[in-house]
Amino acid sequence: TLNLHLTPDTHTPAAFSPRPLYLFSSSLRRTMYSQNCMNLSAMANVALGAIFVVMLYSASGYQGTLQASPVAASAQRSFARIPTSLGPLHARINNKRSGTMAACAEFPHTPENPLRIGTRGSPLALAQAHETKRRLEEAFPHLRNEAVTINVISTEGDERLDIALAEIGGKGLFTKELDVQLLLNKVDICVHSMKDVPTYLPEGTVLPCNLPREDTRDVFISKTAKSLADLPDGSVIGSASLRRQSQILAKYPKLKVVNFRGNVQTRLKKLGDGVVDATMLALAGLKRMNMEEHATRIIEEDEMLPAIAQGAIGIQCRSSDEASLEYLAALNHADTKTCVDCERAFLAALDGNCRTPIAGQAKIIDGKLHFRGLIARPDGTDLFEVVREGNPADSVQIGREAGEHLLPNIDEGFFTVPDGEVRLNAPSPA
């Protein structure tokens, strides 16, 4: 991570602006972060590019110093490794601890002016926000000691628990209020479960960061059965997911699926009270709250394909906020983002949301991207799958083309139940 601080000599032409160097150095920073600092070839290219630019500007009359970025003090340790054989160039590199501290002090986020994380208020959302806070503080020591705060924002999706998501507008219900607070500069970054994020983002915001992905599988939970196959005909399964409903009914048409919303703790309580015979949840959420013991059985992906971006945390910020962009670039997990981008491209191609039973999973195995996608009718009577593989660099194209491949199977009433209304309750068995 490089910040190049330049001041012109008295002989430097006024028209020779340092702005291009700032843009280039920012690009170099993001290149290193996107490679997760593991690609040695990319790191070498970055270092050579930085040296070239310093030499170019030095020749043009600028007194240049390289300092640790205010949001990456660890860069000082990298500068210490630059060989002294570079002579005059090395002499111009500021590698003093005091320089690092001064740079950090200049950065706006302090206990008096903290970095503000926006999040929903559910236990799972708060666990994800605290994980983000921990990672920020580990990566950037100047953010420790109360320089990061968590701001809870209530959303319509959290408040209207008696109505199925498909009936009140889909996934945007969990993000709209956070978007507003972000655009009003009430928070600096927003932490999301990626499966709740619409495929479009409000203008002026970006989502440049995914944290390392958790287990993407679903779990079956029941007090009376060990699996879906063990449930007797007519058993009631609680689920807020059309994706789960359609895949359950495709294999077990004599089961019944009913709307079942609320946070994890609420759903487990309803199950314990006998409101339903079984429910299904994402394993990732249970793991993040240390509640895996509640899982009766983990369901493999060939039995139940996960939701788009399931198990992934996404972090959003304003597109003009350079500080947050640098923080998030450092936290981004490149492979997770590649897979999530592929899955979301698939969803976007199908114009999908909570009104549509769509599933998809991308994985990088031995350097190759493998994707499997699925669409289905809510009652499970029709289900279509697609499989694709290719270069991870083409992840968005792979996802988009997989979605386009399935489009001809979608007629006007494909995503509705026979009575013409999108609803979560399955039709009664004949």
Side-chain angles (χ1 to χ4, degrees):
T1 297
L2 304 173
N3 264 1
L4 288 79
H5 301 269
L6 302 168
T7 55
D9 289 11
T10 54
H11 303 292
T12 304
F16 198 74
S17 167
R19 178 64 177 169
L21 177 56
Y22 169 75
L23 295 174
F24 185 63
S25 65
S26 295
S27 175
L28 292 177
R29 287 197 296 273
R30 295 195 180 97
T31 299
M32 290 186 72
Y33 287 143
S34 69
Q35 296 296 328
N36 206 24
C37 294
M38 294 298 289
N39 187 323
L40 296 181
S41 175
M43 292 176 68
N45 290 334
V46 167
L48 289 173
I51 291 170
F52 169 76
V53 174
V54 172
M55 294 176 68
L56 172 66
Y57 272 77
S58 295
S60 304
Y62 272 77
Q63 301 295 325
T65 62
L66 275 69
Q67 291 184 326
S69 166
V71 293
S74 61
Q76 289 288 354
R77 296 190 291 274
S78 300
F79 296 150
R81 301 189 186 99
I82 298 177
T84 55
S85 59
L86 290 176
L89 178 62
H90 187 275
R92 305 183 89 161
I93 296 177
N94 183 346
N95 189 35
K96 297 179 181 179
R97 292 286 179 183
S98 59
T100 302
M101 296 306 293
C104 289
E106 294 170 4
F107 205 75
H109 296 121
T110 65
E112 292 73 30
N113 183 33
L115 178 73
R116 301 159 299 175
I117 297 176
T119 178
R120 294 166 55 198
S122 71
L124 176 56
L126 288 172
Q128 294 176 163
H130 280 285
E131 179 179 348
T132 301
K133 181 176 183 288
R134 175 183 60 80
R135 289 177 180 272
L136 283 166
E137 291 171 344
E138 287 177 354
F140 308 115
H142 78 278
L143 290 178
R144 298 170 188 170
N145 301 318
E146 308 303 323
V148 181
T149 62
I150 294 176
N151 297 16
V152 175
I153 301 167
S154 181
T155 69
E156 185 180 3
D158 293 314
E159 296 171 358
R160 303 184 65 184
L161 298 178
D162 57 326
I163 305 175
L165 290 175
E167 297 178 7
I168 53 174
K171 293 184 181 180
L173 292 169
F174 292 117
T175 60
K176 286 187 294 187
E177 286 81 0
L178 276 72
D179 292 337
V180 170
Q181 295 298 302
L182 185 63
L183 289 170
L184 290 176
N185 197 20
K186 301 294 185 180
V187 295
D188 300 301
I189 62 176
C190 292
V191 179
H192 302 287
S193 291
M194 279 302 301
K195 65 185 181 65
D196 294 332
V197 180
T199 52
Y200 61 88
L201 295 173
E203 186 176 353
T205 74
V206 291
L207 208 158
C209 175
N210 291 129
L211 300 185
R213 198 170 195 173
E214 188 47 274
D215 197 313
T216 62
R217 293 173 295 177
D218 287 313
V219 298
F220 173 82
I221 306 176
S222 176
K223 301 292 185 183
T224 60
K226 294 182 178 180
S227 68
L228 284 166
D230 290 338
L231 288 170
D233 292 352
S235 295
V236 178
I237 302 172
S239 176
S241 167
L242 286 174
R243 169 190 65 87
R244 292 186 181 120
Q245 171 179 303
S246 62
Q247 292 184 77
I248 290 170
L249 295 178
K251 294 182 178 179
Y252 308 101
K254 293 188 177 181
L255 298 179
K256 184 177 182 181
V257 183
V258 299
N259 184 43
F260 200 62
R261 293 189 54 216
N263 61 42
V264 172
Q265 290 79 358
T266 299
R267 298 187 200 193
L268 292 175
K269 184 179 185 305
K270 289 180 179 179
L271 176 65
D273 291 343
V275 176
V276 294
D277 300 304
T279 189
M280 297 180 70
L281 297 170
L283 177 57
L286 294 180
K287 283 191 168 186
R288 289 192 175 116
M289 293 186 291
N290 298 313
M291 298 174 65
E292 303 100 302
E293 71 275 8
H294 292 284
T296 303
R297 179 173 177 267
I298 296 175
I299 302 177
E300 298 301 326
E301 294 162 14
D302 57 351
E303 298 179 67
M304 176 73 65
L305 194 60
I308 300 299
Q310 184 158 310
I313 295 173
I315 312 178
Q316 179 187 17
C317 68
R318 290 179 294 277
S319 54
S320 60
D321 186 346
E322 286 291 333
S324 293
L325 287 168
E326 288 198 27
Y327 290 137
L328 301 186
L331 265 59
N332 183 54
H333 188 258
D335 282 359
T336 296
K337 191 163 195 318
T338 295
C339 292
V340 168
D341 287 349
C342 176
E343 295 166 20
R344 284 168 59 81
F346 173 73
L347 186 68
L350 295 166
D351 193 26
N353 52 46
C354 273
R355 299 175 183 270
T356 47
I358 297 175
Q361 176 89 121
K363 290 185 175 181
I364 297 176
I365 303 173
D366 296 330
K368 182 173 287 189
L369 181 76
H370 298 261
F371 174 77
R372 177 182 165 217
L374 173 153
I375 60 172
R377 293 188 186 273
D379 60 6
T381 54
D382 283 311
L383 188 151
F384 300 95
E385 295 190 37
V386 60
V387 176
R388 290 286 186 274
E389 63 179 44
N391 190 325
D394 301 323
S395 61
V396 172
Q397 179 182 345
I398 291 170
R400 182 179 64 251
E401 291 179 352
E404 292 170 349
H405 175 79
L406 292 181
L407 275 175
N409 297 299
I410 302 175
D411 56 37
E412 185 175 351
F414 187 85
F415 290 127
T416 60
V417 292
D419 61 5
E421 297 179 2
V422 178
R423 56 188 174 85
L424 281 175
N425 291 359
S428 299

